[in-house]
Amino acid sequence: MENTQSPRARPGIKALAEATGYSIATVSKALNGSPMVAPATKALIHRAAAEIGYRANARGMALRTGRTCQAAVLMPVTAARDYEWDGVEYTQILSGISQALEGSDYRMSVHVVRNVEDGCEAARRVIDEGLADGLIFSGIRADDPRIDLLVESRFPFVSLGRCRKPLDYAHVDIDNEWAAHAATARLIAGGHRRIALVNPLRHLSYAEDRVDGFMRAFREAGLSPSDDLIAEGDLSTQFGRESALGLLDAARPPTAFVCSNESTTLGVLSGLGSRGRRIGVDVDVVAYDDINVSAYFTPPITTFYQPIEILGRTLGEFLLRRMAGEDAQTLKQVFRPTLIERQPDNLGGRLEQPA
């Protein structure tokens, strides 16, 4: 028999106000992430919304408020062929952002971009065509035109990373200068003097930060920096392997490596293995890790670890607050990764130390 009953209507904001005992105005502000509503009240209202099955009518809200209820994310995808690590880390970022948006009126829209110029054009489309109410992006250049555009436009955004300009904007970042300094200083303290840095291309802001930290560690130790052992590239596994092989052929090869991500570290370990160099015996490696892959390397290596999902969640939380009108000045967080010691990284008497 055909069911002629009309589908049950979803509870509206009035029903949610009645269920929580708060006014419609307070409920609306809470759902929109307004800083005027206490966090405990927001949490209570979001729980009640989930329990009664409340869902905002995005189209009606857009007509009433001019908001799209879309949070745009620019997702970089390399144009290079056979790039082994493409997208691995970014899925964790997207996961964190989606967790932050859960329970809000906002949905994430992903815009794939190939390079910073493509990203700048995508950001301009988002603003000019009203495709979203806020924007998240990464791969920050030392002089990044996207940040210039968005700051000038006063459009809500949060960047994963910081440019080298003194601009005021919401951001989430790793203290890359500190991490490179800490890794290099650790190896210097262990007796190493010829240390290689496997780094991103210098146009990226965090690449310059890592070089700054690497060089500072040598200066503070009163040593000449091994700046002839800095390799720069696309951070692929192949780049890591080729860098290790090339650096080992130097007149004064490195006795230790500082690697900027898991992909390059895997390549470096491959290159060292092919030359018969044993980790913790002939050479030491310290890596930066954000998805904990290094725990499964053989042998496991010392890592500065920062879960990337936490970065993604913070990006999403900051964007909600920025779109609700909070000042960018209060939406800045720089994480320092945690040292996970898996090797002593101590040259000791294993190798003859250069004078």
Side-chain angles (χ1 to χ4, degrees):
M1 182 176 176
E2 186 180 356
N3 185 357
T4 56
Q5 290 185 331
S6 24
R8 185 178 176 183
R10 283 186 175 274
I13 195 167
K14 183 178 178 181
L16 183 55
E18 291 173 353
T20 59
Y22 290 99
S23 68
I24 291 176
T26 298
V27 169
S28 178
K29 288 175 183 176
L31 294 173
N32 291 327
S34 171
M36 297 174 65
V37 181
T41 302
K42 287 181 187 175
L44 185 152
I45 290 171
H46 280 295
R47 281 198 303 272
E51 288 170 3
I52 71 171
Y54 168 80
R55 181 179 296 172
N57 185 315
R59 185 173 182 182
M61 185 176 292
L63 291 172
R64 291 194 309 272
T65 67
R67 294 191 296 119
T68 66
C69 293
Q70 295 290 313
V73 181
L74 304 186
M75 181 175 178
V77 176
T78 180
R81 290 188 175 187
D82 302 322
Y83 188 78
E84 308 98 333
W85 216 261
D86 195 24
V88 173
E89 295 165 332
Y90 220 84
T91 57
Q92 295 292 314
I93 296 176
L94 294 176
S95 174
I97 294 171
S98 67
Q99 290 172 35
L101 298 181
E102 188 175 354
S104 77
D105 293 329
Y106 282 92
R107 297 294 177 267
M108 180 168 53
S109 60
V110 176
H111 301 252
V112 174
V113 296
R114 297 289 181 181
N115 49 47
V116 72
E117 292 77 18
D118 197 12
C120 199
E121 180 57 33
R124 195 171 279 112
R125 282 198 310 273
V126 167
I127 297 170
D128 293 346
E129 298 177 22
L131 301 180
D133 301 321
L135 186 63
I136 291 172
F137 59 96
S138 61
I140 307 305
R141 301 282 185 112
D143 180 5
D144 200 300
R146 296 168 299 181
I147 292 178
D148 291 335
L149 169 68
L150 292 161
V151 169
E152 184 178 352
S153 303
R154 300 180 181 274
F155 189 79
F157 76 96
V158 185
S159 64
L160 178 56
R162 295 164 288 169
C163 69
R164 309 270 286 192
K165 287 183 175 182
L167 297 173
D168 189 24
Y169 54 94
H171 61 257
V172 177
D173 202 4
I174 299 295
D175 194 339
N176 286 285
E177 196 276 345
W178 176 88
H181 172 271
T184 309
R186 174 185 172 87
L187 292 168
I188 290 172
H192 294 277
R193 299 296 179 264
R194 295 290 288 165
I195 303 170
L197 174 64
V198 184
N199 213 36
L201 294 167
R202 195 73 64 96
H203 63 257
L204 291 168
S205 187
Y206 84 97
E208 294 196 27
D209 293 342
R210 286 183 176 267
V211 170
D212 289 346
F214 178 75
M215 302 290 277
R216 180 165 68 89
F218 283 98
R219 288 197 306 271
E220 290 178 354
L223 300 170
S224 298
S226 51
D227 52 353
D228 59 315
L229 297 179
I230 298 176
E232 299 177 0
D234 63 4
L235 297 191
S236 65
T237 308
Q238 181 179 355
F239 164 69
R241 177 181 167 83
E242 291 174 350
S243 296
L245 293 174
L247 290 165
L248 289 173
D249 289 336
R252 297 176 61 214
T255 61
F257 288 78
V258 174
C259 301
S260 288
N261 75 345
E262 304 97 315
S263 178
T264 54
T265 303
L266 180 60
V268 165
L269 296 181
S270 173
L272 294 173
S274 69
R275 292 288 179 87
R277 303 295 179 92
R278 295 164 295 174
I279 306 301
V281 178
D282 306 311
V283 66
D284 288 320
V285 177
V286 177
Y288 171 75
D289 194 350
D290 51 28
I291 56 176
N292 206 27
V293 170
S294 59
Y296 303 98
F297 291 153
T298 304
I301 60 172
T302 294
T303 299
F304 284 85
Y305 177 55
Q306 173 60 52
I308 199 166
E309 185 178 316
I310 292 176
L311 301 181
R313 197 155 57 238
T314 308
L315 285 166
E317 291 168 358
F318 278 11
L319 186 63
L320 284 173
R321 291 163 62 183
R322 187 75 185 96
M323 291 187 297
E326 188 168 338
D327 196 310
Q329 185 64 38
T330 64
L331 300 173
K332 301 175 182 179
Q333 186 160 353
V334 179
F335 290 88
R336 283 192 173 180
T338 301
L339 173 65
I340 301 178
E341 298 185 68
R342 298 190 178 105
Q343 297 289 333
D345 301 323
N346 189 335
L347 185 65
R350 289 187 271 131
L351 297 171
E352 180 182 350
Q353 298 182 28

